Amino acid sequence: MQYESTRGGAGTGNAAQAVLTGLAGDGGLFVPRSIPRLTAGELEALREMDYTRRAQTILGKFFDDLPEAAQCAAQAYAGFEVPLVQAAPGAWVLELWHGPTAAFKDLALQFLPRVLSAAKAQQGVTDETFILVATSGDTGGAALAGFADVPGTRVAAFYPRNGVSDVQRLQMETQQAANAFGVAVEGNFDDAQRGVKAIFSDAQAREYFGARHCELSSANSINWGRLAPQIVYYFSAWCDLRNAGALAEGEPLDFVVPTGNFGNILSGWYAREMGLPIGHLVCASNRNRVLTDFFEQGVYDARRAFYKTISPSMDILVSSNLERLLYELSGRDAQAVAALMKQLSEKGIYAVSDTLQAQMRRIFSAGSAGDDATRATIKWVWDAYRYLLDPHTAVAWNVWEKTRGGNKAVIVSTASPFKFSADVLQALALPAQMGAQAQCEALSDATACPVPPSISALWSNPRGRVTACARDGMLDAAKRIQAWE
Ligand SMILES: *Cc1c(COP(=O)(O)O)cnc(C)c1O
């Protein structure tokens, strides 16, 4: 499969090159040149397979020129459960949080490091790959866990010292792998992100690392190697529903997705294009409802206040992966996409054509829920169905209730409620003034839901390779980490 940039100026590359390059040279994002379609027979055959073989089948279409991807999927998903749970009449919850850090990013970040390693081998790249990520919580832990002990890689996660939850902080601080480092930055998330971007655009820094046979790279969701593995669970959920006898042949199924950077839901769009009978993709946002307004009005306006919410992984004003959707729905008009993205970076706003808006609305619907509505949803779903939602999934549930039509729906659940115990306890009107471990135990006692083993292990795990730095000391920290034996 060849990949091309959404802005048309970077030529094409094969799968390995797309994964290794991350962001295309013209600032655009890599997309496959054609979207493979599954035949009806192939779709039926998926139903008989376990998750790993489903992943190998779907990923094989995009990585046909990198056959090692099959082995990568086998290693990534051995023992990884992706259960679909019926929580209410007409609504199933797809629990994507049974991996090492109890958030859905594990599904992509268990695969990406392995496929990156295979891509390097194919392309003859021998330099060490040094992954730098800035994180507001979920990405950092999942990246450290994903790259842990992957040969030829080293990973540093920069997190705001006082800006992540205790569970998230412990997930980074107790990572045991010798090539994985947590860095507490004296500052907020924006400082950490600015610092990482500054390192990437610093020619002298690149030269410094290059001279040490070390190549800087990132692991965020603009990399095709993170999007592709997410397509799999849309197919897998459909297979499980069909196998349970809950869905008729060809019956359209809706997916409701708690959305931040638009990566997860875009993977659902790819699944639909590949022939999965998806009815609507419902884009759920919290109070930062840029995407809701965009789908309703056709105007993307990032010039607005930024709110910190109880669903922090969705606190985002510029959803990078939307660019890929604009490219596809505009009939692959790279010039038009480049113009829109220029308007976004210069003016903070753009509007799409009526035709494109009509295209979007045929497939997507959207809605938002503020923190109060999110808490109320956690409480009432627990009271009514005895199903425990995390705040991100609760946003999706709330939006599903407001937008639901006649189709059956899968609510995509992106985090374990135990990752956000304090807010979930508060939503249930239970006391939450206690330490993180006590919060998890109180939530488990009150609901009889088990704490995920990866979280209960955190309290006794020894500290791993952690360091700290000042806001303007991130480059020095990266240099220290590069030299750390
Ligand atoms: C990252 C994340 C999201 C947002 O996913 P996108 O692919 O960025 O839209 C939602 N929920 C949780 C818990 C996350 O970690």
Side-chain angles (χ1 to χ4, degrees):
M1 175 71 73
Q2 290 292 113
Y3 291 79
E4 63 193 21
S5 165
T6 48
R7 299 192 195 171
T12 63
N14 64 19
Q17 288 159 338
V19 167
L20 287 176
T21 318
L23 194 67
D26 59 356
L29 308 182
F30 281 114
V31 289
R33 288 200 80 176
S34 63
I35 300 176
R37 263 191 97 81
L38 267 66
T39 64
E42 282 178 307
L43 199 52
E44 280 303 300
L46 279 183
R47 290 175 54 185
E48 310 298 318
M49 302 178 187
D50 63 10
Y51 192 85
T52 294
R53 288 198 40 235
R54 288 173 186 166
Q56 290 172 327
T57 307
I58 303 295
L59 290 167
K61 309 253 175 215
F62 294 102
F63 293 92
D64 53 346
D65 45 11
L66 189 61
E68 294 80 2
Q71 184 61 26
C72 298
Q75 289 167 348
Y77 302 123
F80 206 132
E81 304 219 16
V82 190
L84 183 69
V85 178
Q86 179 158 24
W92 284 259
V93 179
L94 180 60
E95 295 182 352
L96 300 178
W97 41 262
H98 294 273
T101 69
F104 95 102
K105 290 184 175 67
D106 287 329
L107 279 146
L109 279 164
Q110 286 297 307
F111 176 74
L112 171 72
R114 295 179 162 95
V115 85
L116 185 95
S117 202
K120 282 173 68 177
Q122 188 201 62
Q123 298 292 309
V125 179
T126 52
D127 280 5
E128 182 175 73
T129 304
F130 187 12
I131 304 288
L132 305 180
V133 286
T135 180
S136 59
D138 279 342
T139 307
L144 295 187
F147 281 94
D149 296 323
V150 173
T153 70
R154 189 178 291 254
V155 53
F158 294 87
Y159 60 94
R161 187 183 162 81
N162 296 313
V164 299
S165 77
D166 285 331
V167 168
Q168 290 169 330
R169 184 177 50 76
L170 282 171
Q171 283 176 336
M172 292 186 271
E173 287 182 356
T174 64
Q175 173 53 245
Q176 300 299 306
N179 68 333
F181 302 79
V183 190
V185 179
E186 205 62 67
N188 59 27
F189 170 62
D190 289 330
D191 296 322
Q193 185 152 48
R194 213 172 303 126
V196 166
K197 283 190 180 157
I199 298 174
F200 279 127
S201 55
D202 180 341
Q204 257 179 333
R206 280 189 181 269
E207 204 174 304
Y208 173 93
F209 289 110
R212 285 155 184 81
H213 301 290
C214 171
E215 198 171 334
L216 299 180
S217 186
S218 82
N220 57 30
S221 69
I222 54 163
N223 193 308
W224 178 256
R226 264 189 74 175
L227 271 191
Q230 298 176 168
I231 300 171
V232 178
Y233 49 72
Y234 287 88
F235 280 96
S236 189
W238 177 87
C239 289
D240 291 349
L241 264 187
R242 284 283 288 140
N243 287 349
L247 201 65
E249 193 180 341
E251 182 180 347
L253 177 63
D254 292 347
F255 283 87
V256 191
V257 188
T259 296
N261 211 18
F262 208 73
N264 193 349
I265 194 167
L266 183 71
S267 297
W269 181 84
Y270 276 102
R272 189 178 186 276
E273 287 301 296
M274 292 175 76
L276 192 67
I278 293 179
H280 273 97
L281 289 162
V282 184
C283 177
S285 299
N286 62 26
R287 192 180 177 194
N288 296 295
R289 42 171 286 151
V290 191
L291 286 167
T292 317
D293 295 340
F294 175 64
F295 282 112
E296 281 173 5
Q297 293 149 22
V299 177
Y300 195 96
D301 189 354
R303 305 167 309 170
R304 60 177 77 202
F306 173 84
Y307 298 107
K308 279 180 99 75
T309 72
I310 60 169
S311 45
S313 296
M314 299 157 69
D315 290 346
I316 193 158
L317 292 182
V318 176
S319 300
S320 318
N321 273 300
L322 193 58
E323 179 168 348
R324 287 185 162 112
L325 182 72
L326 297 173
Y327 181 73
E328 298 288 353
L329 294 187
S330 67
R332 310 199 145 209
D333 187 342
Q335 254 183 327
V337 172
L340 292 177
M341 292 304 116
K342 188 154 178 275
Q343 286 169 29
L344 182 63
S345 75
E346 287 173 1
K347 306 204 177 75
I349 182 170
Y350 64 79
V352 298
S353 70
D354 290 347
T355 352
L356 202 146
Q357 198 192 347
Q359 290 253 45
M360 295 187 324
R361 293 179 61 141
R362 220 165 35 84
I363 307 169
F364 290 89
S365 46
S368 71
D371 280 351
D372 288 343
T374 305
R375 286 192 200 95
T377 301
I378 293 173
K379 173 99 171 77
W380 106 257
V381 171
W382 174 252
D383 289 344
Y385 303 116
R386 287 290 181 260
Y387 187 84
L388 193 62
L389 296 167
D390 99 287
H392 303 79
T393 313
V395 168
W397 188 296
N398 180 283
V399 170
W400 169 65
E401 283 176 354
K402 290 190 291 212
T403 58
R404 63 186 292 188
N407 294 345
K408 287 169 186 150
V410 170
I411 293 161
V412 176
S413 178
T414 49
S416 158
F418 289 94
K419 222 175 163 177
F420 302 93
S421 296
D423 289 308
V424 176
L425 283 168
Q426 272 163 17
L428 299 178
L430 294 166
Q433 296 297 98
M434 55 189 105
Q437 180 177 4
Q439 282 168 347
C440 280
E441 285 161 5
L443 185 58
S444 181
D445 287 346
T447 60
C449 297
V451 184
S454 68
I455 291 182
S456 45
L458 289 174
W459 325 122
S460 52
N461 277 351
R463 275 168 73 88
R465 300 191 138 188
V466 276
T467 180
C469 70
R471 212 179 319 200
D472 57 4
M474 288 173 56
L475 177 57
D476 284 337
K479 289 178 177 175
R480 273 202 316 276
I481 287 169
Q482 190 275 324
W484 205 325
E485 285 305 320

